[in-house]
Amino acid sequence: MTSSPHFHILIEKIFSINVTAEELKSIPEPSLRRLPVYLQYLQNARETGKTEISTTLIARDLRLDPTQVRKDLAYTGIIGKPKIGYNIDILINSIEDYLNWNNLSDAFLAGAGNLGLALLGFEQFTKYGIKIVALFDNDGRKIDREVKGVPVLPVEKMASLAKRMHIHIGIITVPASSAQSVAEQMVAGGIKAIWNFAPKMLKLPEEIIVENAQFATSLAVLTRKLAESLKMVE
Amino acid sequence: MTSSPHFHILIEKIFSINVTAEELKSIPEPSLRRLPVYLQYLQNARETGKTEISTTLIARDLRLDPTQVRKDLAYTGIIGKPKIGYNIDILINSIEDYLNWNNLSDAFLAGAGNLGLALLGFEQFTKYGIKIVALFDNDGRKIDREVKGVPVLPVEKMASLAKRMHIHIGIITVPASSAQSVAEQMVAGGIKAIWNFAPKMLKLPEEIIVENAQFATSLAVLTRKLAESLKMVE
DNA sequence: AATATATTGTGAAATCCATCACAAAATATT
DNA sequence: AATATTTTGTGATGGATTTCACAATATATT
Ligand SMILES: NC(=O)c1ccc[n+]([C@@H]2O[C@H](COP(=O)([O-])OP(=O)(O)OC[C@H]3O[C@@H](n4cnc5c(N)ncnc54)[C@H](O)[C@@H]3O)[C@@H](O)[C@H]2O)c1
Ligand SMILES: NC(=O)c1ccc[n+]([C@@H]2O[C@H](COP(=O)([O-])OP(=O)(O)OC[C@H]3O[C@@H](n4cnc5c(N)ncnc54)[C@H](O)[C@@H]3O)[C@@H](O)[C@H]2O)c1
């Protein structure tokens, strides 16, 4: 980069140039992870009839630092008014746009078991930018049914169908032992991003985006902190 | 702290003094979050018949920095051999001990719906240190049944039962609108750590440990990175 | 036995992220 | 109209985490 990122952003604001991949990448991952938390908080706040909100208040309610909230929100391009704060509707839109959650992406889900069907039943995914359009399984008893209007198809058809339908997102809820093979079939079908619920690290080409929904990670923090706090009172 | 942490740990090793809350706290949270990833990787590696493993190899497979892996593992107290690496069995045990996953903790789960039942059916939780011993719901049709040997009870009984059974961990899989009230009932029952799947920030006393299993967070990273990579090829 | 090699363990440096401090701006109050 | 108050936006600072650099060590090779 030859010019400073700050200068770049200024230029973008003035001339409405589309941000490039370079700039898109520049948000710190911790900030990115906080954006959905703000979003959910703001949607709640909107329901109470509020129209404006300050980072002072957001930070108090979410137990964060106000400057941190301001800097996080700034990544989405939002501009506030001193002494007032931000317009809630505009702010919500700004975050959703930034996350690309205003454009629903179609997704395939492999593994129509307990977790897979629970995910399918979770209507709120449409709020999070994705829509599950087909399930795939290798169990004959599950195939060729429809669940909540979504067809369950044989996993062999997944790759070709993904290609034909230009699907970019795959969700894996098969047992760990099948996860690698299913992931490879997804990649063969042109899928670019995989949300993996199986407790198994996938080995895939570098350019494939893999987000592991590791329940174990979450539990590690929980059980460890609990052990700490129980030790403390001993 | 008057003496260096390093000195402390040495003393602990020599005299087998229990680590105190002070020392327990000292692991960086990013390191803590990586431990379950190593654990799962190591369990896989063990199944292939390996008995020793180096951080060089772990790092290559998990796409991490070898020094980082070494420092992370060191928090669990493991000691390796130059030129060889670590004994896999001992290393696995060391991580499990550190996370307290060798002592199963009983947990209550509120919300016997899609996700709650999927979680119940997930036997591997016993590998992650917890055991769901009772479900609670407010839907008469679900109450007083047993699911996989675990009773479904009316949510009104949760607090008193938690107290009586000295339950420390609660899992919330009720709709967002009921999450706060259910969480408060858990706290009233003496529960100290809550694993919250409802997309709702809970307002609870500071000493209560809350770990939000935010699906939205995971998806934000996925959809954002995907948007970036699609921009790139434009 | 001497040398080469791969790895651990750890201070030091670099990078990344969170927090502090404060000027500028918008509104409310006197 | 002047002053006080609250908040935004941001450069500077501090702290946490990652990465680098390298000595020490265990084993393999000659
Ligand atoms: N259930 C949970 O709460 C939970 C939580 C965290 C992680 N997970 C993980 O999610 C995955 C699914 O868990 P689950 O409880 O839903 O298991 P499940 O057994 O209920 O479902 C797995 C489904 O995958 C199908 N399947 C198996 N191999 C396949 C293949 N090669 N191609 C296509 N489909 C295939 C099976 O027929 C079944 O329908 C597992 O990896 C599990 O470890 C589950
Ligand atoms: N299903 C998913 O894949 C998924 C994913 C992420 C998050 N979530 C969240 O998890 C929660 C549960 O989702 P779900 O799909 O299982 O919903 P669900 O409607 O299938 O289950 C909710 C259960 O909670 C019970 N319940 C409602 N109010 C209660 C109360 N006050 N006390 C006790 N029980 C009560 C209901 O009777 C029902 O059995 C929701 O907050 C949802 O947003 C679900």
Side-chain angles (χ1 to χ4, degrees), chain A residues 111 113-115 137-138 142 173-176 178 197-199, chain B residues 118-119 122 124:
Chain A
N114 285 316
L115 185 59
D137 210 292
N138 70 347
K142 296 184 175 172
T173 53
V174 299
S178 308
F197 284 83
Chain B
L119 290 178
F122 188 48
Q124 295 186 290

Side-chain angles (χ1 to χ4, degrees), chain A residues 18-19 21 24-25 29 32-33 36-37 40 44 61-63 98-101 114-115 118-119 121 124-125 128 130 168-169 192-195 197 199-201 203-206 209 211-232, chain B residues 18-19 21 24-25 29 32-33 36-37 40 44 61-63 98-101 114-115 118-119 121 124-125 128 130 168-169 192-195 197 199-201 203-206 209 211-232:
Chain A
N18 269 345
V19 283
L24 276 169
K25 228 181 252 181
E29 187 153 322
L32 178 52
R33 290 187 175 272
V37 178
Q40 175 224 294
N44 273 324
D61 287 345
L62 298 180
R63 292 193 195 163
Y98 188 79
L99 295 174
N100 200 29
W101 285 4
N114 285 316
L115 185 59
L119 290 177
Q124 295 186 290
F125 275 140
Y128 303 159
I130 69 167
H168 290 148
I169 299 179
K192 293 176 165 50
I194 292 178
W195 196 15
F197 284 83
K200 172 99 194 193
M201 276 288 159
K203 282 190 192 174
L204 298 173
E206 272 206 39
I209 298 156
E211 181 68 20
N212 293 299
Q214 295 277 12
F215 284 47
T217 294
S218 194
L219 261 185
V221 178
L222 189 89
T223 55
R224 179 74 194 159
K225 286 188 183 164
L226 184 59
E228 269 168 33
S229 84
L230 294 179
K231 273 248 180 261
M232 224 120 98
Chain B
N18 269 345
V19 283
L24 276 168
K25 225 181 253 176
E29 186 155 321
L32 176 53
R33 290 187 174 274
V37 178
Q40 176 225 290
N44 274 323
D61 287 345
L62 299 180
R63 293 190 195 167
Y98 189 79
L99 295 174
N100 200 27
W101 285 3
N114 285 316
L115 184 59
L119 290 178
Q124 295 186 290
F125 275 141
Y128 303 159
I130 68 168
H168 290 148
I169 298 179
K192 294 176 164 52
I194 292 179
W195 197 16
F197 285 82
K200 173 95 193 196
M201 275 291 159
K203 283 191 192 172
L204 298 173
E206 273 206 37
I209 297 156
E211 182 68 19
N212 294 299
Q214 295 278 14
F215 284 48
T217 294
S218 192
L219 260 185
V221 177
L222 188 90
T223 55
R224 178 72 195 161
K225 286 187 182 165
L226 184 59
E228 270 168 31
S229 87
L230 294 178
K231 272 249 182 266
M232 223 119 98

